[in-house]
Amino acid sequence: MKKLLGAAALALTLVACAHTAKEYKSAAKKAISSKQAAAAVGQSFTDITCNTPDATKVGTTFTCTATGKNDGKKYEFTATITSN
């Protein structure tokens, strides 16, 4: 799987606004599907799925996968909770 650091970094910034595990998961999906992520990476994404983080404390990581709309490839994102 290909890692997209630009889009993942964008997701990290937006995920930091959530408070529950479900909210972090939802925020990560929203960030990956955003116009900002598409501009940063050069394509938009479909079929976005994220794992629910095991905890909500700072430093917790979780993964998301998505399909590139332009190339059909699977992409993996790693989100890290940076504040809560």
Side-chain angles (χ1 to χ4, degrees), residues 21 25 49-53 62-64:
K25 176 181 175 177
T49 58
C50 294
N51 294 326
T52 302
F62 60 101
T63 59
C64 298

Side-chain angles (χ1 to χ4, degrees), residues 16-78:
C17 299
H19 299 288
T20 68
K22 188 175 181 178
E23 288 173 323
Y24 284 111
K25 176 181 175 177
S26 178
K29 289 175 71 172
K30 184 176 179 179
I32 294 167
S33 67
S34 73
K35 289 180 182 180
Q36 293 88 354
V41 179
Q43 75 172 312
S44 56
F45 297 96
T46 61
D47 302 321
I48 302 165
T49 58
C50 294
N51 294 326
T52 302
D54 293 333
T56 59
K57 65 182 180 180
V58 172
T60 300
T61 61
F62 60 101
T63 59
C64 298
T65 58
T67 303
K69 193 171 184 180
N70 299 337
D71 62 11
K73 293 181 182 179
K74 288 284 186 183
Y75 291 84
E76 184 176 283
F77 298 84
T78 299

